[in-house]
Structures are given as structure tokens and as C-alpha cells.
Amino acid sequence: LGKEQSGYGLWIRAIEGLTISENIFSDIGFDDGTFGIAIAFVEGVMRDVSIQDNDFVSPEGRTTEAITVFRNGAPVRGTFSVEGNKLNFDAPGIAQALGM
């Protein structure tokens, strides 16, 4: 639940071998809908990442993006596995947001 002061979800920097599985990301972001990013690939190379069977929900409209890749983030897309995730708000799908 993203109601803490920062409103941020996961901000990931260079990583190899990460699994994000069976989580609920709920209302990440501030009340005004800013910083509503559940998972951000912020900087560095990311490889061998699995994002599976997570629920991204936003009953209060805080979350605007399930996933985003910042300018300095460099995911090696061919090493990512993305499946079984659910979004209940209007946002690009996870594979689309990752450019897959």
C-alpha cells in the first residue's frame, strides 16, 4: 500500500536475477495521482528479471503506472519474463511499458 509519505513503490537500480511474484501493489502514489508508479526501473542494467502473477490495483486512483523505465534504466528485455499480472486501472500493460 503506497500511502506512506513518499508514495513510491519499488525503485530498482542495476540488478541481475530478480523475481517479483504474487504481490499486490495497491494505491501507490500521492492522493493527487502523482508519483503513482508501482515499479520503476531507475538506472543501470537490469537482466534476468521475472515479473509474474502480481496484482496492480488502484481503488483510490493513486496509481497511474504499473511499471515505467526511466531514461537511465537499461533493461535487457530478452532476459525478462512477464506473465500472469493483472491491472485494474487504465495504464499500459507491463510488457508494453517495458517495450517488449
Side-chain angles (χ1 to χ4, degrees):
L1 191 60
K3 292 185 179 183
E4 298 303 318
Q5 189 174 18
S6 71
Y8 302 142
L10 296 176
W11 287 49
I12 300 168
R13 300 183 193 287
I15 190 81
E16 183 170 349
L18 173 66
T19 298
I20 303 171
S21 179
E22 298 182 11
N23 298 285
I24 299 172
F25 294 91
S26 179
D27 275 323
I28 307 298
F30 295 128
D31 284 335
D32 65 1
T34 58
F35 296 107
I37 301 168
I39 301 173
F41 292 98
V42 179
E43 67 180 359
V45 175
M46 299 91 176
R47 69 173 38 110
D48 298 322
V49 175
S50 174
I51 305 170
Q52 298 182 355
D53 301 318
N54 298 286
D55 289 334
F56 297 86
V57 299
S58 189
E60 295 180 22
R62 291 172 175 259
T63 308
T64 56
E65 298 176 62
I67 291 188
T68 197
V69 178
F70 285 16
R71 176 181 29 212
N72 293 328
V76 180
R77 288 164 177 87
T79 69
F80 274 57
S81 172
V82 176
E83 56 188 45
N85 299 290
K86 299 175 190 157
L87 275 72
N88 85 331
F89 54 94
D90 187 27
I94 292 170
Q96 180 184 0
L98 288 168
M100 298 173 61

